[in-house]
Amino acid sequence: APALWRYTTSKPAADWSQPGFGDTSWLEGKSGFGTSGTPGAVIGTVWNTPDIWLRREIVVPAKKLKDLALWMHHDEDAQVYVNGVLTAKGDGWTTEYDTMPLMDAGKAAFKPGKNLIAIHCRQTGGGQYVDLGLVTMPKN
């Protein structure tokens, strides 16, 4: 289901990915962000500029922390931050949603309760799209 994000297409201040950053002047839109015709994209909000910065607060139950994974579709390069910490990077593009590995620092950045997810995505040509969700991937 689409999630509500705050977003801007104008380069924000350097601390934009931090939990205390004031984003009340940013626009609000439903995920995914992009242009029609991008393979695998389900557009909730049109994004047709070179860059987009997204922010959303989520609540993660303590029992879900150890099995969290990112479920992401990006076209083109994307960086994901959790509570201000670089958590994952996707270079190039994808044509469908897939799990994205978390960096060690990113795994440690998640905490029980409220967490801030921030994304920067850059587009240089062709279709464009970015969307992210969290899934649990229990270890067998």
Side-chain angles (χ1 to χ4, degrees):
L4 194 61
W5 291 77
R6 291 225 178 242
Y7 73 96
T8 185
T9 56
S10 300
K11 187 174 182 174
D15 63 344
W16 72 275
S17 66
Q18 298 296 320
F21 179 81
D23 62 9
T24 56
S25 66
W26 289 24
L27 299 170
E28 286 186 323
K30 291 183 180 179
S31 60
F33 294 82
T35 56
S36 63
T38 303
V42 180
I43 307 300
T45 301
V46 173
W47 161 50
N48 57 11
T49 62
D51 290 275
I52 191 167
W53 291 265
L54 304 157
R55 291 171 49 91
R56 179 171 182 245
E57 192 173 82
I58 61 164
V59 175
V60 180
K63 64 183 179 184
K64 301 276 187 181
L65 282 176
K66 66 181 171 96
D67 298 326
L68 275 182
L70 302 179
W71 186 249
M72 190 167 190
H73 184 330
H74 60 91
D75 184 353
E76 191 163 331
D77 301 334
Q79 301 86 39
V80 180
Y81 299 83
V82 173
N83 298 318
V85 176
L86 182 61
T87 301
K89 288 174 66 173
D91 294 327
W93 68 90
T94 59
T95 57
E96 61 188 19
Y97 288 83
D98 200 1
T99 56
M100 180 179 264
L102 296 173
M103 298 174 176
D104 289 340
K107 290 177 190 175
F110 277 103
K111 60 185 182 184
K114 290 182 182 179
N115 290 269
L116 176 80
I117 307 295
I119 304 168
H120 172 234
C121 192
R122 174 132 181 93
Q123 176 58 30
T124 61
Q128 62 192 82
Y129 187 68
V130 64
D131 192 14
L132 173 101
L134 294 176
V135 294
T136 53
M137 304 285 290
K139 307 282 189 265
N140 292 333

